[in-house]
Amino acid sequence: MQDQMLLQVFVQFGLAGLVGFLLGLEREMSAKPGSYIGIRDFVFFALLGATSAFIAGQYSNAWVIIAVFVGVIVILTTQYWASHGEDTGITTEVAAVLTFLLGVLLIMEATELAIAIAIV
């Protein structure tokens, strides 16, 4: 039974990394040259969401997700204001927040919903 649970966690984290990679690839292909957020960052945001959701589930404390989410928002806000002169859109930053939330959904066993949202 324990092996089955471990396999499920690996699959969930793998899906989070894959969703982050695919969203990051799409954003990098459509971004202007000199954009600061790339594929690795999107994988990072998805895995941050997945890790925070996993820790929150282990300790039955949803505040972990909220704290990490606030940290992600601070990072993205700082990056947006630092590059505000060159880049006027916030689509990439919003996609990064969505990627974090998709990582959370994947760990919370809403896999079909997360994949459907990622496709849209």
Side-chain angles (χ1 to χ4, degrees):
M1 186 66 170
Q2 193 74 330
D3 292 339
Q4 194 69 12
M5 290 175 52
L6 184 61
L7 179 63
Q8 181 182 2
V9 169
F10 278 130
V11 168
Q12 290 170 327
F13 273 93
L15 282 173
L18 181 63
V19 165
F21 174 79
L22 292 175
L23 288 173
L25 181 65
E26 188 280 327
R27 291 307 310 151
E28 194 163 292
M29 288 175 51
S30 65
K32 298 174 188 169
S35 179
Y36 297 105
I37 300 178
I39 294 174
R40 292 177 297 176
D41 299 314
F42 276 88
V43 172
F44 177 67
F45 290 133
L47 290 176
L48 266 176
T51 303
S52 64
F54 181 76
I55 292 170
Q58 291 296 310
Y59 294 105
S60 300
N61 190 352
W63 286 102
V64 174
I65 299 171
I66 295 168
V68 176
F69 183 70
V70 168
V72 167
I73 295 295
V74 168
I75 289 169
L76 291 172
T77 303
T78 304
Q79 187 278 328
Y80 176 76
W81 287 110
S83 68
H84 186 64
E86 303 106 33
D87 187 20
T88 57
I90 63 166
T91 307
T92 301
E93 288 80 5
V94 171
V97 169
L98 179 64
T99 303
F100 175 88
L101 296 174
L102 291 175
V104 171
L105 282 175
L106 286 165
I107 296 298
M108 297 289 190
E109 299 180 1
T111 306
E112 293 85 5
L113 177 63
I115 291 174
I117 292 171
I119 291 171
V120 171

